[in-house]
Amino acid sequence: MSVPALEVRGVDKRFGAVEVLRDVSLEVAPGEVLGVVGDNGAGKSTLMKVISGVHRADSGSIRLGGEEMSFRSPRDARNAGIETIYQDLALADHLDVGANIFLGREPMRRFMGLVPMLDERKIHGEIAALLARIESHIPDPMTRVLDLSGGQRQAVAIARALYWRAKVVIMDEPTAALAVMETENVLKMARQLAGEGIGVLFIGHNLVEILKVCDRVMVMYRGRKVFDARSAETSQTELIRYMTGYADAETNEAEREHP
C-alpha cells in the first residue's frame, strides 16, 4: 500500500472556549482529489489553515509523505511541499506572471561572474513552457496578474504549485465567481495536478463540481468529520443530509431507540 501524500490524525483546535475542530482525521493519496465540504462554520477552513501552517493544532499530527511535520508558519508548509490556492489567490497583482510563480524563490545568475542578478531569461523560458503545458490561455508571461481574468489567475497559482513540485495542493473555493468556461478549465487543472501525482484537497460548496472532479468526498459538520465516501458511491442528496446534520440526528435517534 502506498504512503499517503497527506495524513492528518486526531486534530483538535480551540480558539478560547470555542472548540472549532474535534478529532479530525483524513488521508489523501498521491494523485487523488479529496473534496472537503460542509456548511459555513463546519471547520473546513480552519482545518485547511492548520494543514497549511497558518494555525497550529492543539493536538493531533500531520504527516507528509509518511514524515511527521510541525509547521510554525505557512512558509514552513510551503517549503515542505504544501501549496495553498486561496479563494483570494494571494498573488501580487502588480507583478507579472513569471514574477508571481518565482516570488521569493527567484533564480539568480552572476554578471561577469561577480555581480548577482535576476536570471530573467530562465524565468521567461521556464514560464512559457509551463503555461503551454497546462494550456492556461495566458498569451504572454510578461502580463501583470492584475490584467488577467479570474480563471487565468487561478492558472498562475496552479502553475506555481506544479513548478515547485508540490506534494499536496489545497484548493480553497477555486471556482468561486468564475464563468462557466473558466470553471471547467480550473476543474481540468485540478485533475492535471492529480495526474502529476500530487494529492489535492478541493474545498467547495458546489456539489455538482465536487462530485465531478473529486475521487472522494469528506463532509464536515460542527468541527467533526461525519462522512467520507468515494464520489461514485454517494450523491448530492446524501452529502446534503450530512452537511445539514440530518444524518447525524437520524443516527443518534437510532442509537437511543436501540442502545
Side-chain angles (χ1 to χ4, degrees):
M1 182 174 268
S2 64
V3 176
L6 174 70
E7 184 178 7
V8 175
R9 284 285 171 263
V11 163
D12 296 309
K13 180 64 184 176
R14 288 178 176 272
F15 292 104
V18 180
E19 191 176 34
V20 183
L21 298 176
R22 289 183 283 165
D23 193 27
V24 178
S25 298
L26 65 83
E27 285 186 9
V28 187
E32 180 181 37
V33 182
L34 173 65
V36 181
V37 299
D39 209 348
N40 291 334
K44 56 188 187 298
S45 292
T46 301
L47 176 61
M48 296 309 123
K49 287 178 179 177
V50 167
I51 294 171
S52 63
V54 176
H55 299 317
R56 298 195 73 174
D58 296 321
S59 60
S61 64
I62 298 173
R63 290 179 177 273
L64 194 62
E67 182 180 351
E68 188 158 352
M69 297 288 163
S70 179
F71 302 136
R72 293 172 296 177
S73 69
R75 180 182 292 273
D76 284 351
R78 175 177 282 186
N79 289 341
I82 296 177
E83 286 279 350
T84 305
I85 301 172
Y86 293 108
Q87 186 174 343
D88 61 7
L89 292 176
L91 297 174
D93 283 347
H94 293 281
L95 297 181
D96 63 38
V97 172
N100 268 275
I101 290 174
F102 282 96
L103 191 61
R105 296 178 279 194
E106 294 86 352
M108 306 296 291
R109 64 183 179 87
R110 290 192 175 274
F111 179 69
M112 302 290 290
L114 298 171
V115 183
M117 297 179 62
L118 188 66
D119 193 342
E120 295 186 359
R121 179 178 296 180
K122 179 175 181 178
I123 290 176
H124 296 156
E126 296 275 3
I127 297 310
L130 182 61
L131 294 179
R133 175 179 161 198
I134 66 171
E135 300 176 10
S136 67
H137 308 294
I138 298 174
D140 184 358
M142 295 294 289
T143 304
R144 291 188 310 170
V145 165
L146 182 66
D147 299 323
L148 299 177
S149 69
Q152 289 172 326
R153 288 163 61 86
Q154 289 285 359
V156 172
I158 290 168
R160 183 171 60 194
L162 272 175
Y163 186 81
W164 292 108
R165 301 181 185 278
K167 298 173 184 175
V168 172
V169 172
I170 300 171
M171 302 181 74
D172 185 8
E173 299 279 0
T175 61
L178 295 187
V180 174
M181 283 303 298
E182 291 195 316
T183 292
E184 288 299 314
N185 286 334
V186 169
L187 296 181
K188 182 180 73 173
M189 283 187 275
R191 291 305 322 176
Q192 184 172 1
L193 287 170
E196 300 273 347
I198 296 168
V200 179
L201 284 165
F202 192 104
I203 298 89
H205 284 95
N206 188 319
L207 297 183
V208 174
E209 291 177 7
I210 289 287
L211 290 170
K212 179 178 181 180
V213 74
C214 297
D215 300 295
R216 265 189 312 124
V217 185
M218 162 183 155
V219 181
M220 295 190 66
Y221 179 70
R222 293 185 177 178
R224 297 184 296 117
K225 182 177 81 170
V226 295
F227 185 69
D228 188 330
R230 297 198 63 78
S231 298
E233 297 170 357
T234 187
S235 65
Q236 291 184 60
T237 301
E238 185 172 37
L239 294 176
I240 289 169
R241 286 176 61 243
Y242 281 97
M243 289 170 64
T244 54
Y246 284 121
D248 245 13
E250 290 170 357
T251 299
N252 292 337
E253 180 64 28
E255 288 175 350
R256 283 194 296 270
E257 292 179 359
H258 306 284

